Amino acid sequence: MQIRVLGSAAGGGFPQWNCACLNCQGVRSGTIRAQARTQESVAVGNDLGDWFVLNASPEIRHHIESFDCLHPQSARGTPIQGILLTNGDLDHCLGLLSLRESEPIRVYATGSVWRGFTGDNVLFRTLDRFAGQVSYVPLELDRQRPLIGRDGRDSGLVVQAIAVPGKLPIHLAGHHPSPEDNVALRVTEASSGKCLAYIPAAANLDRDVERAVERADTVFFDGTFWSSDELIQQGLGDKRAEDMAHWPVGGSHGSLRWLGGLSSVQRVFIHINNTNPMLREDSPEHRAVVDAGVSIAHDGMQLCL
Ligand code: MLT
Ligand code: MN
Ligand code: ZN
């Protein structure tokens, strides 16, 4: 199984258009040691050149152009066999609306994520102009589902969605929450048994998060914030990481402590907010992550399981 990080930043990207925090200003001016990053998305491929994209970032057009395995091989077409969603946040779904050039696409998502995106959404009509333009494949919690290519061929990859602590997207605040609102995706290659656990948003550690990473070979995990009060400390907002359903990386109760203990697994932080000090390659926070044996995803990072 091939894994390519298309985008590694949280919503807003790095730098973020309206942000002049230490990191954003520094990466713009080249005065800090850090790489710019686009909004999170990862492509997963089999040995046949079939690719599935996890989360449709607002930067999906750039993501496709940035990776030649996702370029069309014929006058019209795409090697992208399907798109899988972990939740309904705009940084994970907006890209779908950019794929409106009459190419049939398959979207794998839980019922609540799919209803949240399509319900009362007049913009979705642009993806619903002919029968089969978008084929929706429901992901039922815990159930293994083969990933099928555009021509109906089995890709040899299997996905399982596991509910993990999260929240509804901002535009659905006040709606009835469901365990299907935020999921971990376990993608397994049937032939080798190799497994990727993809969890770009998790509010805390619970039994389901533990289950989602069980026997995985590689874990991508929520690296949004270093600390709970990161936005408040930097004068950028009044929300704590917990209010946004992101488990902070640092501190004695942080996710790094937990991930650091899973030493037999390849571990990668993704969905990194532009305010996170671990983005600065000479920071003590960056050092702490590396010392714990965990990687920090960057755009263009490639892994082979
Ligand atoms: C998040 O990851 O918490 C969301 O993307 C926030 C947002 O939609 O702005
Ligand atoms: Mn996000
Ligand atoms: Zn910033």
Side-chain angles (χ1 to χ4, degrees):
M1 178 163 37
Q2 305 288 331
I3 299 172
R4 167 83 174 204
V5 175
L6 302 169
S8 50
F14 176 44
Q16 176 175 313
W17 70 281
N18 64 341
C19 191
C21 72
L22 180 70
N23 282 353
C24 286
Q25 198 63 339
V27 78
R28 274 190 200 105
S29 60
T31 52
I32 60 168
R33 274 189 54 198
Q35 278 183 46
R37 286 165 164 85
T38 61
Q39 296 166 88
E40 172 233 316
S41 176
V42 162
V44 179
N46 64 11
D47 296 338
L48 303 170
D50 299 326
W51 289 87
F52 291 84
V53 173
L54 314 185
N55 287 330
S57 157
E59 288 157 301
I60 195 163
R61 197 199 76 88
H62 166 75
H63 287 165
I64 292 168
E65 291 308 316
S66 73
F67 184 39
D68 54 8
C69 293
L70 301 184
H71 296 172
Q73 306 293 311
S74 53
R76 279 288 160 84
T78 176
I80 301 174
Q81 306 300 315
I83 295 178
L84 286 68
L85 305 176
T86 60
N87 67 25
D89 287 347
L90 287 187
D91 51 344
H92 291 159
C93 297
L94 263 185
L96 290 175
L97 296 172
S98 295
L99 303 180
R100 64 182 183 280
E101 282 79 17
S102 302
E103 192 64 49
I105 56 176
R106 289 172 87 90
V107 183
Y108 294 77
T110 64
S112 94
V113 166
W114 192 238
R115 283 190 301 276
F117 181 69
T118 56
D120 296 327
N121 181 358
V122 290
L123 300 181
F124 183 69
R125 292 180 198 161
T126 194
L127 291 178
D128 199 18
R129 282 173 287 147
F130 56 89
Q133 188 179 1
V134 169
S135 309
Y136 165 58
V137 185
L139 291 179
E140 293 103 3
L141 294 180
D142 299 328
R143 170 150 170 224
Q144 308 259 6
R145 153 105 40 205
L147 291 177
I148 304 296
R150 283 150 48 91
D151 57 3
R153 208 160 29 89
D154 188 344
S155 68
L157 301 173
V158 176
V159 68
Q160 180 187 25
I162 295 180
V164 293
K167 61 159 183 51
L168 278 161
I170 292 170
H171 53 277
L172 297 178
H175 282 226
H176 192 65
S178 147
E180 290 190 349
D181 293 337
N182 186 55
V183 296
L185 295 175
R186 282 172 67 93
V187 180
T188 306
E189 187 176 53
S191 59
S192 64
K194 295 281 185 193
C195 174
L196 160 70
Y198 191 69
I199 315 172
N204 50 61
L205 179 62
D206 71 357
R207 181 65 203 118
D208 289 321
V209 173
E210 288 176 337
R211 207 155 55 84
V213 305
E214 235 162 48
R215 292 186 304 278
D217 297 278
T218 300
V219 174
F220 277 74
F221 200 77
D222 185 337
T224 313
F225 296 114
W226 182 264
S227 54
S228 207
D229 61 352
E230 189 166 306
L231 296 178
I232 300 169
Q233 283 265 342
Q234 299 188 39
L236 300 171
D238 55 8
K239 287 213 171 82
R240 306 183 74 81
E242 294 75 14
D243 300 329
M244 300 174 73
H246 293 294
W247 182 16
V249 171
S252 53
H253 301 289
S255 58
L256 181 60
R257 190 98 189 250
W258 169 67
L259 275 179
L262 305 177
S263 52
S264 60
V265 185
Q266 183 173 39
R267 296 141 294 163
V268 185
F269 281 120
I270 197 163
H271 189 275
I272 305 153
N273 201 55
N274 56 77
T275 49
N276 193 323
M278 72 184 186
L279 285 169
R280 296 194 299 275
E281 290 155 23
D282 51 5
S283 67
E285 292 84 359
H286 184 98
R287 168 66 33 213
V289 174
V290 173
D291 285 350
V294 183
S295 305
I296 299 173
H298 57 84
D299 296 16
M301 182 182 202
Q302 208 151 321
L303 308 172
C304 178
L305 302 195

